[in-house]
Amino acid sequence: MSSAKFQLLLVDDEPLILQSLALLFEDYVVHAAESGIKGLEILKHHPIDVIISDQRMPQMSGVDFLRIAKDISPNSIRILLTGYADLQAVVDSVNVGEIFRYVHKPWNAEKLRETVRFACTVAEQRRAMSIAKAASGAIPALHQPKDDAPSEFELLFVDSNERHLEQFKAFFEPKYRTHVSTKASEAFRLIPNHNIAVVVADSHLNDVDGSDFLIAVRDKFPHVVTVLMTGSQDAKLAIKMINDGQVYRYLVKPFPRETLRLTIESAVIHHKILRENPAANSKTMENALFRNADSTARSIEEMLAALRATIASKPIY
Amino acid sequence: MLDYKKIKKSLKKALKSIEQMEMLDELLRAQQTGQLPPHLSPRLLASEFASATQEFIQHLQLPMSAGDGSRPSLASGDSAPPPMGYEEWLRKLQMRQGGQPSAPIAPSASPAIQSAGQVDEAVRQSEARLRAIIDATPLGICITNQNYIFEYVNRAYAEIYGYEPHEMLGKPFTMIVERDKEPFWRDLHDKYLAGYKEIRGEWRTVHKSGKPLTILADAARIVGADGKPKKVTFVMDITELTRLREESRQNEVMLMQTEKMSSLGQMAAGLAHEMNTPLGFVRNNLELLEGKHKETKELLALYEKLRSQIMYGSPNDVAMLLSQIDSVAQRVKNRVWQESDNLFRSAIEGIDRIQDLVLSLKNFSRLDEAELKPTDINENIESTLKIASHLFKGGIQLVKEFSPLPMVQAYPAQLNQVFLNLITNAVHAVDEKTGRIVIKTMQHGNHVVIKVIDNGKGIPPENLKKIFDPFFTTKPVGEGTGLGLTIAYKIVERHGGKIDVQSQVGRGTEFTITLPVSGTATAVKQSATSPFADSPFAE
Ligand SMILES: Nc1ncnc2c1ncn2[C@@H]1O[C@H](COP(=O)(O)OP(=O)(O)O)[C@@H](O)[C@H]1O
Ligand SMILES: [Mg+2]
């Protein structure tokens, strides 16, 4: 596969980083910008497949840049490559920037190449899909107006606190049929038997770690969209959820009800996109590309064991 | 929804820590100014002690030499009127305490009694005054002879050590010192009676219960009727004061540490990024060059093969090798190859940059240097600016107007903490695009003046009085602790300098630090060094 047709946009206030990266990706079409403002300018005029941006930059931060970039060029895959990002920036990079990977500086050249190669294939699929959609005129509106018509999709909430579960159920029913569980193992068995679009889990569960659970869900059911709720903010956890779990949102408790509602609405739309075009799903692609997926594994424990083995063999940043 | 319980709880916590801070602050101020509260002021205690001793010795009207002849408080004793008989005085004292004249009284007691009949009115008056003083004084007084025996102790003296006076009389004074220091104390006693002067100061002794005591002591030499020299010792129990002083010193150290950690913590984020960025391209460049190096080696191997094929192989083989070489050479000469000089250059530059940062961190913390030393203020500001450099990457303009400065006797690490805080405060106050921060240094006579001037939002007059208060901050949690200026104030004060502020809302703020070039008078806590190797000085 020749990468020459792919276009990269590099954004970093350090020119020597740009120089170095441009040579790492010399077989791509590389655009370099020393600021977010310049990056946005380039984005308007070139079909960029993958954006690699620093976080700490004067004037416009990486997350701010990626948020606007997402609106200008929704099909571009966004990667944050940074020497340091505070917790808020990491969380925002998921929720606002919808980034594909979080990579630390200094990076490993070969692994970054691999990540970018993979990101390009995902971008290519996304573009193909959106062209098809445009032709049929059915691009789903991202900001759907509030509408209470019952949905065909179902939700699953997993939390060790039963009172919270009741509140979630009361809040989303009857529009969405809402399943709840205090146990990850039970929840995991539930998914294949229902039309579940979104799984929301707390990071603290009774049996397994909530973040591990969501990573397993994503791995086994790539079309399901995952949302992590956590009370303790932790940049490391957030980065793990981005890189290994492709979590859709990272919610820090307590959050307003409206935030949860909007999150679920857009997660359901995201799920529709994934289901209608599996090729657009980076997780499906990744599974196909990188894993000899153990399709016989059934229980969450087996899944987790298999998953840990895969993660251990995957690029780590 | 608000969790009122939680809010109430954290408010209570905050209130408690503010109360603690206030107490601490009061204590610190008391120690620095000797003003508040009077019972805790070491200076007051010392002067009270000195005047009590002086008065006592005057009333004693004894031939004596003070502990320190040069000390004015005791000097008047030198021109004392003719002495009242020592033994007479001693007997009276013991009678007053209700005790019997005890065994070790000098054998020549009888001539003293004879003279007692001739005591005139003036002496009687003087004795009455003496008693009043002895009764009222919290000063412990004892008299010891050449054999280290207590010949006299007053009630206060006995109380300090937890004994009744009669439990001490006739016993060697070493009962109140640490067991293993007894030889030292006897030696000191001998030396003192033989004319040695260094005795005034803080000493560590032992209470009856075994717990250590810190006392402030002074002494006078007198000659007994037996013609033998004796030592009159005046002591004051300062154990509690010493403990409080130590405690508040530790609290202050802790406070400074907290501020340092939190300001460094905020710096760490910026520094991590500043270091990881060059690390990023250095590593990447090296990996690119490593790949290139491998290809070059491959090419070289082919070239050597070509040599032997030219010598021994067929033209066909040679032709094949040549085309192989061509294709590898093609691969080698890509853009990484063309840019390799630059890649090497920037890798080295990156390493230099990292080295620079590490060095400035070291310079900033000055962990490996003596605390107090001649300090180049300009250089210190430079190293502080270096670790704060990422703050200026936005669009904030930094103007340095440094004048040549003399070396200042100072604690560089502490001054750096002050500079860092003033600079971060200025950065926080200004607009990211139009901000301008001027740092000026200059010499005014024997003072060094440092100014940090910003064109930021300024400080409203009602806040101006509060900015040095502990925990006063207008910044969100995580950005401000409210300790920066509190600590800055203390550090500058410790250097014998002062810190001033002028501010105008909407216009900007100017902080001015004035440091004496040599005036570290309050900065150095010189302790009297003992002439003895294993000194029991409670320092
Ligand atoms: N240069 C300045 N400009 C405006 N306000 C300032 C400046 N320096 C200090 N202040 C005010 O003084 C307060 C206390 O400062 P400081 O003791 O350093 O604590 P902190 O910076 O953690 O808030 C700040 O919160 C701010 O309101
Ligand atoms: Mg401050």
Side-chain angles (χ1 to χ4, degrees):
Chain A
M1 172 175 63
S2 158
S3 39
K5 56 183 170 174
F6 291 118
Q7 302 208 20
L8 307 188
L9 169 59
L10 312 176
V11 184
D12 200 305
D13 60 319
E14 173 54 66
L16 294 182
I17 287 277
L18 296 176
Q19 174 200 48
S20 195
L21 281 177
L23 293 175
L24 182 65
F25 297 110
E26 63 160 355
D27 38 0
Y28 291 76
V29 178
V30 173
H31 305 266
E34 283 187 31
S35 74
I37 312 270
K38 287 182 189 154
L40 292 175
E41 225 24 66
I42 294 172
L43 210 52
K44 282 177 196 155
H45 300 109
H46 300 273
I48 300 294
D49 296 282
V50 177
I51 304 169
I52 302 177
S53 171
D54 185 18
Q55 160 59 14
R56 279 176 98 95
M57 293 182 288
Q59 261 104 35
M60 187 188 274
S61 77
V63 167
D64 284 344
F65 161 68
L66 290 177
R67 181 172 48 87
I68 306 173
K70 194 182 78 178
D71 289 340
I72 296 179
S73 172
N75 290 324
S76 304
I77 302 289
R78 295 167 291 276
I79 294 174
L80 204 56
L81 172 68
T82 189
Y84 183 92
D86 52 44
L87 176 69
Q88 195 55 49
V90 179
V91 170
D92 287 351
S93 72
V94 185
N95 294 346
V96 180
E98 286 185 9
I99 64 164
F100 172 75
R101 286 290 187 275
Y102 180 103
V103 183
H104 289 291
K105 287 176 187 171
W107 61 92
N108 173 309
E110 205 32 63
K111 283 176 179 162
L112 183 60
R113 256 196 200 124
E114 194 177 295
T115 301
V116 169
R117 205 177 298 134
F118 175 40
C120 283
T121 49
V122 177
E124 191 175 39
Q125 297 294 341
R126 273 202 199 173
R127 181 162 294 123
M129 186 190 83
S130 72
I131 290 168
K133 282 278 176 217
S136 65
I139 295 177
L142 272 175
H143 300 290
Q144 259 195 350
K146 189 170 172 175
D147 123 50
D148 290 326
S151 164
E152 57 175 306
F153 298 110
E154 301 174 22
L155 311 177
L156 170 58
F157 284 86
V158 192
D159 194 321
S160 56
N161 186 327
E162 292 190 43
R163 276 198 36 230
H164 288 182
L165 288 175
E166 279 164 30
Q167 290 178 5
F168 291 137
K169 198 171 162 72
F171 188 56
F172 284 104
E173 283 192 327
K175 178 169 181 186
Y176 296 102
R177 191 173 163 207
T178 303
H179 306 267
V180 297
S181 174
T182 55
K183 284 212 193 80
S185 47
E186 184 184 275
F188 201 73
R189 281 193 300 273
L190 231 138
I191 299 172
N193 305 325
H194 298 275
N195 187 21
I196 289 180
V198 184
V199 177
V200 184
D202 189 80
S203 58
H204 290 289
L205 299 180
N206 291 331
D207 42 1
V208 300
D209 190 273
S211 56
D212 282 343
F213 163 67
L214 288 183
I215 294 173
V217 167
R218 212 57 186 99
D219 208 64
K220 179 79 179 170
F221 312 104
H223 58 281
V224 172
V225 175
T226 56
V227 175
L228 183 72
M229 300 182 291
T230 169
S232 55
Q233 310 198 1
D234 180 348
K236 238 185 180 163
L237 173 67
I239 292 168
K240 175 175 119 177
M241 292 315 291
I242 299 166
N243 291 346
D244 296 332
Q246 281 294 287
V247 75
Y248 181 67
R249 288 289 187 272
Y250 184 103
L251 296 180
V252 179
K253 287 202 286 194
F255 40 76
R257 279 157 200 265
E258 194 54 17
T259 304
L260 183 62
R261 192 186 68 79
L262 288 175
T263 302
I264 296 294
E265 298 292 347
S266 69
V268 168
I269 294 168
H270 193 69
H271 167 74
K272 269 194 239 172
I273 298 172
L274 294 185
R275 226 177 36 160
E276 284 164 23
N277 193 341
N281 188 342
S282 67
K283 203 70 207 176
T284 330
M285 306 254 316
E286 188 180 0
N287 290 354
L289 282 175
F290 291 100
R291 303 184 55 231
N292 29 5
D294 179 5
S295 53
T296 57
R298 285 255 145 235
S299 78
I300 179 132
E301 288 79 11
E302 284 174 79
M303 271 300 294
L304 281 178
L307 196 67
R308 288 200 183 101
T310 353
I311 288 173
S313 67
K314 259 197 332 187
I316 305 163
Y317 298 101
Chain B
M1 200 186 72
L2 286 173
D3 186 347
Y4 286 104
K5 254 192 194 155
K6 222 172 171 179
I7 293 175
K8 216 167 128 192
K9 213 168 133 191
S10 55
L11 277 179
K12 264 192 188 156
K13 250 192 191 160
L15 201 67
K16 211 171 144 200
S17 58
I18 289 172
E19 275 170 10
Q20 279 173 352
M21 283 305 307
E22 276 174 355
M23 263 174 59
L24 173 64
D25 209 49
E26 194 180 44
L27 205 59
L28 291 176
R29 210 155 287 161
Q31 303 219 327
Q32 279 157 2
T33 62
Q35 277 172 354
L36 261 173
H39 62 282
L40 284 177
S41 154
R43 211 172 292 171
L44 263 185
L45 258 182
S47 75
E48 190 184 305
F49 180 74
S51 65
T53 334
Q54 183 190 351
E55 205 176 333
F56 189 83
I57 291 171
Q58 255 175 12
H59 283 90
L60 224 49
Q61 298 178 337
L62 294 170
M64 56 133 222
S65 59
D68 181 356
S70 66
R71 196 156 33 87
S73 63
L74 287 179
S76 55
D78 296 345
S79 55
M84 164 175 82
Y86 161 68
E87 305 303 344
E88 165 77 351
W89 174 80
L90 191 63
R91 200 176 53 83
K92 280 182 179 156
L93 276 183
Q94 282 167 345
M95 306 258 276
R96 190 187 68 87
Q97 284 176 357
Q100 294 304 310
S102 48
I105 289 192
S108 56
S110 42
I113 291 166
Q114 276 172 14
S115 61
Q118 300 149 13
V119 179
D120 62 13
E121 188 53 27
V123 175
R124 235 188 291 279
Q125 271 179 14
S126 140
E127 187 203 317
R129 261 183 300 159
L130 175 63
R131 271 194 195 177
I133 292 166
I134 289 173
D135 286 337
T137 188
L139 199 62
I141 301 162
C142 74
I143 297 171
T144 43
N145 66 18
Q146 275 172 309
N147 301 322
Y148 319 116
I149 301 293
F150 281 125
E151 290 194 352
Y152 169 73
V153 302
N154 76 345
R155 179 146 289 280
Y157 188 88
E159 264 169 18
I160 288 172
Y161 290 104
Y163 294 96
E164 287 296 321
H166 69 83
E167 289 180 281
M168 305 186 94
L169 287 173
K171 307 243 171 66
F173 80 90
T174 44
M175 68 193 284
I176 54 114
V177 302
E178 290 158 287
R179 206 33 55 78
D180 56 335
K181 293 264 163 64
E182 282 183 20
F184 163 82
W185 280 97
R186 275 196 290 269
D187 186 45
L188 185 66
H189 196 269
D190 290 345
K191 282 188 175 144
Y192 185 76
L193 289 182
Y196 173 66
K197 287 180 173 161
E198 282 291 323
I199 200 145
R200 187 187 185 200
E202 289 181 30
W203 302 87
R204 188 175 298 273
T205 53
V206 185
H207 187 263
K208 186 182 185 181
S209 65
K211 74 173 203 284
L213 290 180
T214 308
I215 56 154
L216 186 62
D218 203 342
R221 247 186 315 272
I222 55 173
V223 182
D226 55 0
K228 302 265 171 61
K230 294 171 201 288
K231 179 180 172 230
V232 185
T233 311
F234 309 93
V235 304
M236 179 170 267
D237 181 5
I238 55 166
T239 312
E240 185 59 11
L241 178 75
T242 318
R243 195 185 60 75
L244 283 174
R245 191 171 55 191
E246 176 58 19
E247 206 168 77
S248 70
R249 199 186 57 81
Q250 277 175 4
N251 279 339
E252 192 179 342
V253 167
M254 221 167 67
L255 210 63
M256 273 183 66
Q257 211 59 28
T258 311
E259 205 279 332
K260 194 168 177 180
M261 287 320 284
S262 95
S263 63
L264 271 182
Q266 282 174 42
M267 283 293 122
L271 276 172
H273 191 262
E274 288 301 288
M275 296 223 190
N276 281 332
T277 295
L279 277 175
F281 64 76
V282 168
R283 188 180 206 287
N284 198 61
N285 288 4
L286 286 182
E287 288 196 70
L288 290 172
L289 291 164
E290 184 192 30
K292 198 48 60 190
H293 179 68
K294 279 190 186 133
E295 288 173 3
T296 323
K297 272 166 90 176
E298 196 185 322
L299 195 62
L300 210 62
L302 286 174
Y303 166 73
E304 269 157 18
K305 223 164 163 191
L306 179 68
R307 255 181 99 92
S308 68
Q309 291 290 14
I310 288 173
M311 303 287 281
Y312 315 109
S314 69
N316 225 1
D317 291 338
V318 172
M320 245 171 69
L321 253 180
L322 268 178
S323 81
Q324 213 179 331
I325 286 175
D326 279 350
S327 84
V328 173
Q330 203 62 38
R331 225 178 339 123
V332 168
K333 290 194 287 187
N334 70 349
R335 279 192 52 215
V336 174
W337 167 262
Q338 291 156 20
E339 296 276 327
S340 60
D341 289 357
N342 288 336
L343 289 179
F344 277 118
R345 262 290 102 221
S346 25
I348 292 169
E349 189 197 314
I351 299 274
D352 286 348
R353 238 198 266 174
I354 296 162
Q355 185 190 12
D356 221 34
L357 276 170
V358 172
L359 196 71
S360 61
L361 252 185
K362 205 191 79 172
N363 278 345
F364 179 79
S365 63
R366 308 231 170 212
L367 289 175
D368 55 350
E369 286 176 24
E371 281 211 307
L372 183 71
K373 55 177 290 209
T375 302
D376 179 346
I377 298 290
N378 287 338
E379 188 191 299
N380 265 42
I381 297 177
E382 285 288 4
S383 75
T384 305
L385 280 173
K386 206 156 245 168
I387 79 153
S389 63
H390 63 274
L391 295 174
F392 294 94
K393 278 184 112 179
I396 300 173
Q397 195 190 349
L398 173 66
V399 182
K400 290 182 274 186
E401 294 175 11
F402 291 178
S403 314
L405 295 180
M407 297 294 252
V408 173
Q409 191 70 7
Y411 293 93
Q414 296 187 0
L415 286 185
N416 284 350
Q417 199 174 343
V418 175
F419 299 147
L420 180 63
N421 185 56
L422 292 188
I423 293 165
T424 9
N425 280 351
V427 168
H428 286 160
V430 299
D431 181 86
E432 213 189 314
K433 293 193 184 72
T434 60
R436 184 179 139 97
I437 296 171
V438 184
I439 302 179
K440 276 189 198 167
T441 63
M442 62 210 104
Q443 183 176 7
H444 279 175
N446 50 6
H447 283 84
V448 162
V449 178
I450 303 118
K451 283 180 184 285
V452 179
I453 307 159
D454 67 63
N455 63 350
K457 56 176 185 269
I459 305 171
E462 67 271 21
N463 284 354
L464 211 50
K465 343 186 233 316
K466 296 188 234 158
I467 54 170
F468 294 105
D469 293 350
F471 299 124
F472 176 78
T473 181
T474 55
K475 297 172 191 174
V477 190
E479 208 178 298
T481 58
L483 286 175
L485 287 175
T486 316
I487 299 296
Y489 188 88
K490 289 202 191 308
I491 291 175
V492 171
E493 194 179 50
R494 181 172 300 175
H495 282 82
K498 61 185 169 67
I499 178 165
D500 293 312
V501 56
Q502 284 192 316
S503 187
Q504 222 179 325
V505 174
R507 298 289 298 276
T509 306
E510 176 172 328
F511 278 91
T512 308
I513 296 176
T514 313
L515 297 174
V517 170
S518 57
T520 46
T522 53
V524 212
K525 202 181 127 220
Q526 280 290 355
S527 60
T529 29
S530 161
F532 307 108
D534 64 336
S535 160
F537 272 109
E539 276 295 334

